[in-house]
C-alpha cells in the first residue's frame, strides 16, 4: 500500500511517500516551484512523488475544519472553501481517500516515531495550526500522550514572528536572521520592556501573553528604528526565547519521567536556544525538519502510531551520480570554493552536503568571498561540516551532545583564529558533524580532504541563488553556475 | 538651582555619525512599519 503524507495550503508545502511503512521520499514543494517557502503543491513535486507509485491513501497533516473555526475566531473570516482539502487536492488530480491528522500531533509524531527512543518527553512549540501553539507529550513504547496544551492566541511562535516582523524581517521565514542578528546586540537593553509589554504569565508550562500578536506589533516602540536598536531588540527576543525554553525544559524534566527530550515545531530550529537546554537531558532528538514540512512525515507516522525506521535526511529529488569526491577536492585546492549537487536532496532547511556550496574554511578572506557570491548580509555566519571524530578537537559541544548531523546546535570554536569564516560574532558555530553512518559520499569527501590537508572540516552553506530555494536538480545547478560563475559538480 | 547644577554636570555624549548602511536600514524599517500599520495583516493563515 502506498501512502502519501501531505502538508500544504499554508506555508512550506511538502509530500512524504511511504510504501508499507517504509519512508521512501520526502520533498519540499519550493524546490520544484522555485518559490521560497511555497505553501502550495506543484506539478514537479507530485511527478517526483509519483515515481514511487500512485497513492492509495493521503494523510493530511491537520484538521481543516478546526482550522476554519480558529480562523473565524481570530477574525480572519470564514474560509471553509479555502480549507476544503478534497477540492484542493483535486486541483492536482489527487482524488484519493483522505485521513486527517492534528497539527501538533503530526509534529509530535514526526519527532517521537523517528527518534528510536523507547520513551521520551516531546515539546512542540510553533506559531499556530488549528488552535494549539504549545504542547507537551509523553511517549512510551508506541503510545504518545499529550500532557499539556496551550492554545491560541498564547503563542510563543507568533510572538517570535511578530518580533521578527517588528525589526523589519519577513515573519515566518526570516526568524533565523533575527537569531543571527542577536549576537550583535545587547540583550538586556530592551528585555524588561518586552517582558513587561507582551508577557502576562511565565510560569512553566504556562506562557501567556498580554496581547494577541497575530497581526504583529508594528506599532510597538516606534522610536526604536536604528540598526543598533534592531540588533538590541533581536538580542532581547532571542534571550527571552532561550529563557522560556529553559523554563519549559526544566518543568518537563522535573515533572515527567523520561530523560530523553524531543523538540519539534518551527521553534525547534532555534539552534542557539536548543544548545542551552541539552544539559537537562541524557539525549536530545530533533527531527531534521521539525516545522510544518516535516509534518508530512509526522502525519503518516501518527497514522501508523509506531516507531519507523528513520532513513536519514536525504529523502528528496535523486540526482543519482556518484559523489564527486576527487573533483571537489581538486576544485577546493585551486578555486577554494565549489558547489556540489549530488544524490538525494536534503529534506529540511539545511544543506548537508548534497546541495551545498563548499569552501576551504581556513584563512581570513574566505568569508567575504563566499558572502560576495551569496550576496547576503555580512553579519551572517557560515557553518562548518566536520568529521564527527574530530569535533571535540575544535569545538566545545553543548552538554551531552556528541554529534550534530543536522546542524541543530551551536558550539564554541576552540581555535577561532584558524577558522574565522565559520565563526559567528559570539564565537560559536552551527556545527554539522559527519559520521560513518551519514552520507557516504560527503563523508568520503571530508576524509580525503583531511588526509590531503590535515583539516577535518569544510565550510558548508546552502547552494541557492539569493532569494530562491536550494538547488534541486541539474537544471538548477546549471542556473547557479550561469548566475555566479561558480562551478557545481554533480 | 541644585537641579540646574546637575544638568550642567551631565557628560555630553557625542552622537556618532550614522553610516550609509545604518541610514538606509532606518529608512527601510520606517517604511515597512508604516505599511504594516496601514495594512494590519495577519502573520499566519
Amino acid at each position: 500500500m502506498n501512502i502519501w503524507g501531505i502538508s500544504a495550503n499554508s506555508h512550506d508545502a511538502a509530500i512524504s511517500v511511504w510504501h508499507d511503512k517504509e519512508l521512501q521520499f520526502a520533498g519540499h514543494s519550493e524546490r520544484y516551484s522555485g518559490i521560497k517557502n511555497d505553501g502550495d503543491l506543484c506539478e514537479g513535486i507530485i511527478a517526483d512523488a509519483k515515481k514511487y507509485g500512485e497513492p492509495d491513501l493521503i494523510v493530511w497533516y491537520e484538521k481543516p475544519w478546526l482550522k476554519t473555526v480558529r480562523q473565524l475566531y481570530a477574525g480572519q473570516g470564514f474560509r471553509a472553501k479555502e480549507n476544503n482539502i478534497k477540492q484542493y487536492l483535486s486541483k492536482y488530480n489527487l482524488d484519493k481517500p483522505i485521513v486527517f491528522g492534528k497539527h501538533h500531533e503530526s509534529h509530535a509524531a514526526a519527532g517521537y516515531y523517528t527518534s528510536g527512543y523507547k520513551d521520551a518527553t516531546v515539546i512542540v512549540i510553533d506559531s499556530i495550526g488549528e488552535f494549539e501553539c504549545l504542547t507537551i507529550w509523553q511517549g512510551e513504547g508506541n503510545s504518545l500522550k499529550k500532557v499539556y496544551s496551550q492554545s491560541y492566541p498564547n503563542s510563543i511562535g507568533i510572538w517570535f514572528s511578530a518580533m521578527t516582523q517588528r525589526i523589519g524581517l519577513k515573519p515566518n521565514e526570516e526568524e533565523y536572521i533575527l537569531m543571527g542578528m542577536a549576537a550583535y546586540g545587547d540583550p538586556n537593553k530592551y528585555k524588561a520592556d518586552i517582558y513587561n509589554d507582551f508577557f502576562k504569565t511565565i510560569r512553566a508550562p504556562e506562557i501567556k501573553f498580554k496581547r494577541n500578536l497575530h497581526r504583529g506589533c508594528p506599532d510597538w516602540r516606534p522610536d526604536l528604528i536604528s540598526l543598533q536598536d534592531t540588533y538590541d531588540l533581536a538580542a532581547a527576543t532571542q534571550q527571552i526565547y532561550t529563557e522560556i525554553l529553559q523554563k519549559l525544559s526544566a518543568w518537563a524534566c522535573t515533572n515527567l519521567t523520561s530523560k530523553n527530550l524531543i523538540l519539534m515545531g518551527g521553534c525547534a530550529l532555534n539552534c542557539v536556544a536548543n544548545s542551552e537546554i541539552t544539559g537537562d537531558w541524557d539525549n536530545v532528538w530533533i527531527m531534521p525538519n521539525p516545522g510544518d514540512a516535516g509534518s508530512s512525515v509526522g502525519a503518516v507516522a501518527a497514522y501508523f502510531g509506531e516507531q519507523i525506521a528513520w532513513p536519514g535526511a536525504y529523502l528528496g529529488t535523486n540526482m543519482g551520480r556518484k559523489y564527486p569526491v576527487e573533483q571537489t577536492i581538486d576544485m577546493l585546492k585551486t578555486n577554494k570554493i565549489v558547489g556540489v549537487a549530488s544524490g538525494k536532496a536534503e529534506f529540511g532547511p539545511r544543506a548537508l552536503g548534497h546541495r551545498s556550496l563548499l569552501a576551504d574554511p581556513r584563512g581570513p578572506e574566505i568569508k567575504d568571498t563566499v558572502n560576495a557570491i551569496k550576496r547576503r548580509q555580512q553579519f551572517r555566519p557560515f557553518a562548518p561540516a566536520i568529521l564527527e571524530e574530530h569535533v571535540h578537537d575544535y569545538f566545545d559541544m553543548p552538554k551531552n551532545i556528541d554529534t550534530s548531523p543536522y546542524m541543530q546546535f551551536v558550539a564554541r570554536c576552540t581555535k577561532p583564529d584558524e577558522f574565522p569564516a565559520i565563526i559567528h560574532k559570539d564565537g560559536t558555530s552551527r556545527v554539522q558533524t559527519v559520521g560513518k553512518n551519514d552520507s557516504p559520499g560527503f563523508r568520503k569527501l571530508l576524509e580525503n580532504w583531511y588526509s590531503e590537508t590535515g583539516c577535518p572540516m569544510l565550510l558548508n552553506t546552502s547552494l541557492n541563488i539569493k532569494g530562491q530555494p536550494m538547488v534541486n536538480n541539474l537544471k538548477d545547478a546549471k542556473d547557479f553556475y550561469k548566475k555566479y560563475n561558480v562551478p557545481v559538480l554533480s | 538651582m541644585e537641579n540646574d547644577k546637575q544638568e550642567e554636570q551631565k557628560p555630553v555624549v557625542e552622537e556618532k555619525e550614522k553610516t550609509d548602511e545604518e541610514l538606509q536600514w532606518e529608512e527601510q524599517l520606517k517604511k515597512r512599519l508604516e505599511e504594516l500599520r496601514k495594512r494590519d495583516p495577519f502573520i499566519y493563515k
Side-chain angles (χ1 to χ4, degrees), chain A residues 101-343:
Chain A
K102 284 186 85 175
H103 193 97
H104 265 235
E105 189 175 25
S106 295
H107 278 313
Y112 183 57
Y113 293 126
T114 59
S115 70
Y117 296 156
K118 290 191 171 109
D119 59 80
T121 292
V122 188
I123 300 178
V124 182
I125 312 171
D126 72 351
S127 290
I128 194 166
E130 296 109 357
F131 277 93
E132 289 178 324
C133 305
L134 161 66
T135 53
I136 301 176
W137 305 69
Q138 239 179 335
E140 212 172 313
N142 285 335
S143 146
L144 185 58
K145 282 185 186 157
K146 188 164 46 182
V147 294
Y148 180 74
S149 168
Q150 186 172 283
S151 286
Y152 178 86
N154 292 298
S155 170
I156 299 163
I158 286 182
W159 161 73
F160 201 93
S161 288
M163 295 309 293
T164 300
Q165 189 190 52
R166 171 58 189 79
I167 64 167
L169 302 173
K170 201 171 170 192
N172 198 19
E173 191 175 314
E174 296 186 331
E175 282 74 6
Y176 68 101
I177 300 181
L178 180 152
M179 192 175 69
M181 282 178 140
Y184 290 80
D186 172 3
N188 294 315
K189 203 162 173 189
Y190 301 116
K191 199 167 91 172
D193 292 355
I194 295 174
Y195 266 129
N196 289 335
D197 291 351
F198 295 118
F199 290 87
K200 187 175 168 187
T201 316
I202 300 187
R203 201 182 308 114
E206 194 179 272
I207 312 291
K208 297 225 161 148
F209 291 80
K210 283 181 179 167
R211 56 188 274 198
N212 184 345
L213 292 161
H214 199 173
R215 286 180 159 104
C217 53
D219 54 336
W220 185 73
R221 293 295 303 269
D223 54 315
L224 304 179
I225 50 157
S226 75
L227 186 57
Q228 190 55 50
D229 291 336
T230 303
Y231 290 147
D232 293 337
L233 288 173
T237 301
Q238 178 59 33
Q239 179 69 39
I240 290 171
Y241 175 73
T242 300
E243 288 172 9
I244 289 170
L245 188 63
Q246 284 171 323
K247 286 186 167 76
L248 290 171
S249 171
W251 180 87
C253 202
T254 309
N255 291 279
L256 304 173
T257 51
S258 181
K259 289 303 285 174
N260 301 317
L261 174 70
I262 293 166
L263 273 180
M264 290 297 291
C267 294
L269 288 166
N270 195 313
C271 53
V272 175
N274 294 347
S275 309
E276 296 296 324
I277 59 164
T278 57
D280 293 345
W281 306 90
D282 289 347
N283 300 291
V284 180
W285 166 251
I286 304 166
M287 189 256 210
N289 205 348
D292 283 6
S295 289
S296 61
V297 168
V300 181
Y303 175 76
F304 291 140
E306 60 187 71
Q307 291 286 337
I308 61 145
W310 171 245
Y314 305 102
L315 289 162
T317 294
N318 192 354
M319 286 179 67
R321 300 172 186 237
K322 197 173 162 238
Y323 202 93
V325 174
E326 293 312 323
Q327 302 98 302
T328 304
I329 287 177
D330 289 345
M331 290 297 288
L332 284 168
K333 281 182 179 168
T334 52
N335 278 20
K336 302 267 187 195
I337 296 171
V338 65
V340 173
S342 180

Side-chain angles (χ1 to χ4, degrees), chain A residues 461-476:
Chain A
T461 183
S462 57
L463 188 68
N464 68 296
I465 292 171
K466 186 175 168 61
Q468 291 184 18
M470 260 190 270
V471 161
N472 196 42
N473 52 31
L474 201 56
K475 183 195 167 296
D476 297 341

Side-chain angles (χ1 to χ4, degrees), chain A residues 46 69 114 346 445 452:
Chain A
I46 291 169
V69 175
T114 59
E346 294 86 347
L445 171 67
E452 291 194 31

Side-chain angles (χ1 to χ4, degrees), chain A residues 384 386 391-397 411-414 422 429 431:
Chain A
I386 185 167
V391 71
H392 296 290
D393 300 335
Y394 293 88
F395 298 96
D396 280 334
M397 293 293 277
R412 191 160 298 281
C413 183
T414 52
I422 49 94
S429 303
V431 179

